[in-house]
Amino acid sequence: DQQVKQNSPSLSVQEGRISILNCDYTNSMFDYFLWYKKYPAEGPTFLISISSIKDKNEDGRFTVFLNKSAKHLSLHIVPSQPGDSAVYFCAARNKDFGNEKLTFGTGTRLTIIP
Amino acid sequence: NAGVTQTPKFRILKIGQSMTLQCTQDMNHNYMYWYRQDPGMGLKLIYYSVGAGITDKGEVPNGYNVSRSTTEDFPLRLELAAPSQTSVYFCASSYSIGGAAEQYFGPGTRLTVT
C-alpha cells in the first residue's frame, strides 16, 4: 500500500523554464510534507516543507503547493537551472507518530536541458 | 560540523556474513533513523531511535539490529547477510523541536551481498 506516490519517474525541462514535480498521497493523517533532493552517490538533502494547514510555501526558486481536498502536492522550480538535475523525493509525516516516521515516494528524476 | 557520517561507503559481503554499518552525527539530534533504498524505490525505514537507549522497529526491520548507547552513534548490524539485503543504506537524524523537523541524511553505504 503506497501512501505517497510520485507517478512520473522522470521529467525533462529546458533551462530557464518552470519544473513542476507532482506527488499524491492517501493518508489524511499526514501533517507535514517535505521535498528532498538527491544527487547520485549522495544522501538526500532537505529542500522545502509545508504544513497541512497551509496551501503554499515559498523559498527562493522553490514553491510547494498543497491541495488537501485532492490529496495532491506539487513542487515548482522557477527558473530551472542545470544544478537542479537530481532525483526529487516527496515525503510525508504522520502526526500520529511525530518525528519517527516519514513515508517517501519513489522519486522523480529531473533533468534540466541546457 | 560534519553532519551525519557513515562508514563504510561500499561493502561486498558473502551470504551468511555479518557486518556493522556505522553512523555518527554531531548535531546533537535526539532522533536517528536507518533507511534502505532499493533501485527505483523510495526510502524504507528499518529502525529508528528517539534517544540514547531507545530504539524501535520501522517498516522493514527483519534481518537487522540496532543499538543507541550515545546520542551521537547509531550502528546498524546485519546478521547472516542475504542477497535481499543488497541495497543502499542511509542514516539520518533530526531534532524534535516541532514543525516539520526535517531529517538530515548521511552519504549512504552501498552494500552488495553475493
Side-chain angles (χ1 to χ4, degrees), chain B residues 1-108:
Chain B
N1 253 4
V4 180
T5 57
Q6 292 182 239
T7 56
K9 284 189 173 19
F10 305 94
R11 183 74 186 266
I12 298 174
L13 277 183
K14 292 193 187 314
I15 294 171
Q17 288 185 321
S18 301
M19 77 164 293
T20 299
L21 282 66
Q22 301 292 345
C23 175
T24 300
Q25 54 94 7
D26 63 359
M27 297 174 281
N28 203 32
H29 286 168
N30 47 345
Y31 286 83
M32 294 188 75
Y33 316 81
W34 274 105
Y35 293 90
R36 59 177 286 173
Q37 186 192 12
D38 299 326
M41 304 295 287
L43 282 75
K44 303 275 189 192
L45 183 64
I46 305 171
Y47 269 96
Y48 66 97
S49 168
V50 302
I54 306 169
T55 63
D56 207 346
K57 295 178 181 178
E59 190 180 351
V60 289
N62 291 344
Y64 307 95
N65 273 302
V66 293
S67 59
R68 182 105 180 264
S69 55
T70 66
T71 299
E72 295 78 21
D73 300 305
F74 191 39
L76 177 72
R77 177 88 179 154
L78 277 72
E79 306 281 1
L80 298 174
S84 61
Q85 293 177 304
T86 294
S87 190
V88 182
Y89 291 83
F90 292 101
C91 178
S93 69
S94 68
Y95 188 53
S96 59
I97 53 172
E102 59 267 20
Q103 296 179 14
Y104 294 83
F105 285 81

Side-chain angles (χ1 to χ4, degrees), chain A residues 32 36 43-44 89 93 99-100 105, chain B residues 33 37 42 48 96 99 101 103 106:
Chain A
Y32 271 94
Y36 282 84
F89 290 98
R93 192 186 78 174
N99 296 310
E100 295 91 329
Chain B
Y33 316 81
Q37 186 192 12
Y48 66 97
S96 59
Q103 296 179 14

Side-chain angles (χ1 to χ4, degrees), chain A residues 72-102:
Chain A
H72 176 83
L73 63 154
S74 60
L75 174 68
H76 293 211
I77 306 173
V78 56
S80 299
Q81 299 174 353
D84 296 330
S85 294
V87 176
Y88 289 79
F89 290 98
C90 170
R93 192 186 78 174
N94 189 325
K95 64 182 175 185
D96 277 349
F97 297 103
N99 296 310
E100 295 91 329
K101 305 200 178 176
L102 287 181

